[in-house]
Amino acid sequence: MHTRSLELGNRALSFETGKLAKQADGSVLVRMGDTVVLVTACHAASPRVGIDFLPLTVDYREFTYASGRIPGGFFKREGKPTEKEVLTSRLIDRPVRPLFPAGWAFETQIIAMVVSADTDYDSDVLAVTGAGCALALSEMPFQKTIAGVRVGFVDGAYVINPTFAQRKASSLDLIIAGSADAVMMVEAGAQEVTEEQMVGALDAGHTAIKQIVATIDDLAKAAGKKKIVMPAKEANHDFYREVEEKVYVPLSEAMRIKEKLESYGRVDQVLADLVASVPEAEVERRLEAKKIFKGLKEKVLRDEILQRRHRLDGRKFDEIRAIWSEVTVLPRVHGSAVFTRGETQALVTATLGTADDQQKIETMDGETYKRFMLHYNFPPFSVGETGFMRGPGRREVGHGALAERALTPVMPTEEQFPYTVRVVSDILESNGSSSMASVCGGAMAMMDAGVPLRAPVAGVAMGLILDEGTGKFAVLTDIAGAEDHYGDMDFKVAGTAAGITALQMDIKVSGITMEIMRQALAQARDGRLFILGKMAETLTGPRAQTSQYAPRIVSIKIPVDKIRDVIGPGGKMIRSIIERTGVKIDVEDDGRVNVASNDEASAARALAIIQELTATPEIGKTYMGKVQRIADFGAFVEIMPGVDGLLHVSEIALHRVKDVRDELKEGEQLLVKVLNVDPSGKIRLSRKALLQEEQPKA
């Protein structure tokens, strides 16, 4: 067994290998506090023949036993991956995938299992770091050791791997993964932080990553396996030049066509002509021609940008494609918008519900409820293809989570807007950054529904083309599909006019300088402000009223000690109010009561009943009371449901009363005035005071 540890922000991060899961190609136990993640990496014994992609699978799983809990539900065991498990699997996959060598065709799987979880540290970044360590220990020819950290911004200082308590106070929640010399992946949510604060967080995170990578490399040196050597494939330079001379010009012309489907069709035709020029019997040569053609597509794009200094579709580097948008496009939904940028189009809807519609989420930490949800759908027709319409895949879950993270910071509190909100983005066309179109459309749909957002949010996708040899680079605003596929960076930034609310970045090159990062963020800010301006031309802010088809929710605050009166024994009273009025009623622990109904008259009746049940007597106010009990010294009169006051014999009439029963009968109704309410809650009433007030009038 081998162990290594380091201090990270006054906390110990430790690695252990050689004790558990020894038959895996690489395995490691990563620990911080009492949170422990077991991460393994394995590959198949032989490569898959005839594939041109990396067969990598990543699975991250959280087990409720890790926090001493038993799962809910009928089966009492973990089911399909939760949203967090899917998103963390993506977090691991994104920095790992680019670092496998070209031609690696062995089925590869990384599994991260959370086996112990405390209440301080999240396990997701430990899983990312563990994946980098397991691969470093394995025999797989992984090119660089990677690690991941979370960065918070608390009280003006950056915090590495903050606790859950610190994250609540943080204006930034950033996860960064990378190697000793490069940032590979960034995922962030933020409370409108500035571009300079974001750069500082990236710098602080990368500094911590370098320390972790050095520790992992030291462990791999002592306990790692000998790496597989990938045989270098001899390139046929003569054939490459022959293919290039034949297709470069027609391929360039095809890729410069602005309309996506027409461009793709012409590119396919150029490829078909190339393949047809190679004799059918020369199967290997045809396969080689296809590989060369694929590389030439990337070369055309890079030459166009780095040498000729313009993009394939003729745009400037910081130019955004034409934008148009429209709201209230669907008649019966609560809020709707179409947002179109170039050949990317999102139809986004917003639906308002009550507290009953909140999503219950069960994790290994316990149960929580979610009142804002954003769901992203990517039907195959959006790219002119056919396919199965099944549940959302990992990509759809990831894109929806990014858009949701971008919009969450501007959502009103439950006290300000007691609705549950669900936004759905259906992508109708796609050619670059449909997730950012979902952010823009989501903000507009919610404003159309009357959700009082603190500020509109827009998003833009940035790209990078970098020549590592010469250092020449170009930062691209609003990247299209080909620029995303063949570029060196996919950098999505969303936010308000004041600052960033969400960021996602994937980098394919080995190094990116802070100069490039600053330029990309500055260019993204300009693009974001431009898009916000275009959105304002359609809708300047939230509508004053919600849709006529949305439920009407009225909130009132009652004393906490009156909650039991509204609910009643066994819920009898609240059920009675619901049956009588047909409304929905939610009572919160702090005394807030939300009454929801599509009929304003029904809501008013329910509120009147609740106010009557929870009203408190006011000194000097007159009430119609009912005599409940008569005693020698006076009568007890009920002035509110369950609230009695004493009408003393001296306060019954203007004359002296010898026997109370001569004046009053049980069950009799009469007007009384509240004289006093003492600290213990006892109420003194008077009928005589009202009679004295009536005497002058008579």
Side-chain angles (χ1 to χ4, degrees):
M1 187 179 77
H2 296 266
T3 61
R4 294 289 187 277
S5 66
L6 74 153
E7 288 294 315
L8 204 64
N10 299 321
R11 304 172 186 91
L13 174 66
S14 65
F15 302 89
E16 176 188 300
T17 189
K19 181 180 178 181
L20 302 179
K22 294 190 294 294
Q23 292 186 42
D25 190 8
S27 69
V28 65
L29 213 59
V30 186
R31 176 172 179 164
M32 180 170 266
D34 285 340
T35 297
V36 184
V37 185
L38 174 65
V39 189
T40 61
C42 289
H43 69 87
S46 56
R48 285 176 59 179
V49 179
I51 63 170
D52 60 351
F53 61 90
L54 175 66
L56 171 66
T57 305
V58 178
D59 290 292
Y60 165 90
R61 297 309 303 264
E62 294 180 343
F63 298 106
T64 55
Y65 67 70
S67 58
R69 294 182 62 255
I70 294 173
F74 180 78
F75 293 104
K76 297 297 176 186
R77 70 177 298 166
E78 289 78 11
K80 70 175 186 177
T82 63
E83 184 172 297
K84 186 195 173 183
E85 288 173 319
V86 169
L87 295 174
T88 307
S89 296
R90 282 171 53 85
L91 279 180
I92 299 168
D93 185 296
R94 284 160 48 201
V96 162
R97 189 173 289 272
L99 293 177
F100 278 91
W104 179 260
F106 293 82
E107 285 281 358
T108 305
Q109 185 175 32
I110 297 169
I111 297 177
M113 297 163 47
V114 183
V115 292
S116 178
D118 64 17
T119 56
D120 288 329
Y121 301 108
D122 206 329
S123 51
D124 49 7
V125 290
L126 300 186
V128 175
T129 298
C133 186
L135 288 165
L137 292 166
S138 75
E139 65 178 6
M140 287 181 270
F142 198 61
Q143 295 174 349
K144 292 183 180 180
T145 304
I146 69 155
V149 296
R150 174 177 265 106
V151 183
F153 192 63
V154 184
D155 297 329
Y158 296 109
V159 182
I160 302 299
N161 285 358
T163 62
F164 286 115
Q166 288 173 319
R167 286 170 64 184
K168 286 182 180 178
S170 175
S171 59
L172 174 66
D173 187 25
L174 179 143
I175 296 175
I176 175 173
S179 62
D181 55 10
V183 173
M184 306 300 300
M185 182 276 299
V186 179
E187 190 84 29
Q191 300 290 334
E192 297 180 286
V193 302
T194 65
E195 282 72 15
E196 200 56 41
Q197 287 172 332
M198 189 65 77
V199 170
L202 293 170
D203 198 23
H206 194 215
T207 300
I209 284 172
K210 291 175 183 177
Q211 299 174 39
I212 301 172
V213 166
T215 304
I216 293 173
D217 285 341
D218 185 44
L219 178 63
K221 189 176 179 181
K225 297 177 181 177
K226 186 178 179 181
K227 295 293 183 184
I228 295 172
V229 178
M230 290 283 290
K233 189 172 180 182
E234 289 294 326
N236 187 336
H237 296 292
D238 292 336
F239 186 53
Y240 180 91
R241 281 193 296 273
E242 180 186 330
V243 172
E244 185 177 20
E245 289 173 4
K246 188 177 294 184
V247 304
Y248 189 88
V249 173
L251 177 60
S252 301
E253 292 172 352
M255 291 180 69
R256 289 191 192 107
I257 296 173
K258 291 184 179 181
E259 205 278 319
K260 174 187 167 182
L261 295 182
E262 184 183 348
S263 174
Y264 283 17
R266 287 280 295 277
V267 169
D268 289 343
Q269 186 59 52
V270 175
L271 175 59
D273 293 342
L274 170 64
V275 173
S277 69
V278 180
E280 283 187 37
E282 298 181 22
V283 178
E284 288 292 328
R285 202 168 178 82
R286 282 193 164 192
L287 290 173
E288 185 66 22
K290 288 181 180 179
K291 287 182 181 178
I292 293 171
F293 185 84
K294 187 177 179 181
L296 285 173
K297 287 168 70 176
E298 182 174 349
K299 186 176 187 299
V300 167
L301 180 135
R302 300 178 80 85
D303 286 350
E304 202 77 8
I305 290 170
L306 294 179
Q307 306 305 326
R308 299 177 182 84
R309 305 304 290 175
H310 59 75
R311 299 160 80 166
L312 287 170
D313 57 9
R315 283 186 291 153
K316 299 174 184 176
F317 291 165
D318 62 352
E319 186 178 345
I320 294 174
R321 289 169 292 180
I323 291 173
W324 70 265
S325 58
E326 185 182 333
V327 293
T328 320
V329 292
L330 301 173
R332 292 291 296 226
V333 301
H334 301 160
S336 59
V338 169
F339 182 85
T340 305
R341 185 192 59 245
E343 293 179 299
T344 295
Q345 185 178 76
L347 170 65
V348 192
T349 58
T351 307
L352 307 182
T354 65
D356 290 345
D357 297 308
Q358 291 185 11
Q359 183 184 9
K360 179 181 175 182
I361 300 173
E362 184 180 25
T363 67
M364 61 183 180
D365 302 316
E367 292 177 354
T368 58
Y369 287 86
K370 192 174 173 184
R371 57 180 288 267
F372 171 52
M373 299 155 277
L374 193 149
H375 298 142
Y376 168 101
N377 299 315
F378 193 84
F381 65 74
S382 63
V383 286
E385 296 176 357
T386 60
F388 291 108
M389 292 287 286
R390 290 178 177 153
R394 288 188 172 188
R395 177 183 175 277
E396 289 172 298
V397 172
H399 279 32
L402 173 61
E404 182 179 294
R405 192 183 309 118
L407 292 165
T408 297
V410 299
M411 291 295 292
T413 64
E414 194 168 0
E415 290 76 15
Q416 295 169 327
F417 193 71
Y419 287 91
T420 297
V421 182
R422 181 189 183 223
V423 173
V424 178
S425 176
D426 290 303
I427 304 304
L428 306 185
E429 291 184 58
S430 179
N431 185 19
S433 195
S434 52
S435 62
M436 293 298 95
S438 300
V439 171
C440 302
M444 297 182 76
M446 284 195 287
M447 290 192 294
D448 184 50
V451 180
L453 298 185
R454 200 155 44 79
V457 180
V460 64
M462 310 297 295
L464 172 71
I465 305 296
L466 172 67
D467 186 335
E468 294 187 84
T470 63
K472 190 182 289 188
F473 71 91
V475 176
L476 310 178
T477 300
D478 180 24
I479 55 174
E483 293 168 337
D484 182 7
H485 185 74
Y486 296 114
D488 298 315
M489 179 178 73
D490 178 15
F491 190 15
K492 299 181 179 75
V493 188
T496 65
I500 297 169
T501 58
L503 183 148
Q504 186 181 89
M505 180 173 67
D506 294 295
I507 299 173
K508 304 170 192 174
V509 291
S510 60
I512 181 169
T513 64
M514 286 300 159
E515 176 202 348
I516 295 175
M517 190 65 68
R518 282 189 174 88
Q519 180 176 330
L521 283 167
Q523 210 164 299
R525 184 176 186 276
D526 293 339
R528 187 170 80 243
L529 294 176
F530 174 80
I531 296 170
L532 284 169
K534 287 290 184 182
M535 290 164 58
E537 291 175 8
T538 303
L539 188 63
T540 55
R543 299 200 186 281
Q545 299 292 329
T546 58
S547 164
Q548 62 175 315
Y549 302 112
R552 291 289 182 274
I553 299 181
V554 183
S555 294
I556 60 169
K557 198 75 178 285
I558 64 172
V560 174
D561 60 355
K562 293 287 184 180
I563 292 175
R564 62 179 182 271
D565 298 329
V566 175
I567 295 175
K572 184 178 179 181
M573 178 56 71
I574 198 168
R575 285 198 301 272
S576 168
I577 300 171
I578 292 170
E579 287 169 7
R580 281 185 281 167
T581 60
V583 301
K584 277 186 179 181
I585 301 174
D586 296 306
V587 182
E588 304 295 337
D589 294 339
D590 62 355
R592 191 173 68 256
V593 180
N594 296 328
V595 177
S597 174
N598 288 327
D599 178 16
E600 291 187 17
S602 298
R605 283 203 308 274
L607 284 172
I609 295 170
I610 293 168
Q611 287 169 335
E612 184 181 343
L613 288 170
T614 59
T616 54
E618 297 178 30
I619 296 173
K621 194 171 180 180
T622 302
Y623 295 89
M624 176 62 76
K626 183 179 181 182
V627 178
Q628 296 290 334
R629 184 166 62 89
I630 294 176
D632 293 339
F633 53 83
F636 291 95
V637 180
E638 184 183 58
I639 57 173
M640 294 176 182
V643 179
D644 293 348
L646 173 62
L647 178 61
H648 192 266
V649 64
S650 62
E651 296 291 339
I652 293 176
L654 293 173
H655 58 271
R656 188 173 182 275
V657 176
K658 293 182 179 180
D659 189 342
V660 177
R661 290 173 181 80
D662 292 341
E663 301 288 334
L664 302 174
K665 294 183 176 59
E666 288 187 3
E668 181 183 348
Q669 289 188 326
L670 72 163
L671 287 171
V672 290
K673 186 176 185 178
V674 176
L675 294 180
N676 185 46
V677 180
D678 70 16
S680 66
K682 291 180 181 177
I683 303 167
R684 283 182 55 219
L685 304 173
S686 175
R687 182 187 179 211
K688 182 168 74 173
L690 294 175
L691 294 173
Q692 287 172 338
E693 291 172 7
E694 291 294 323
Q695 230 177 14
K697 295 177 185 177

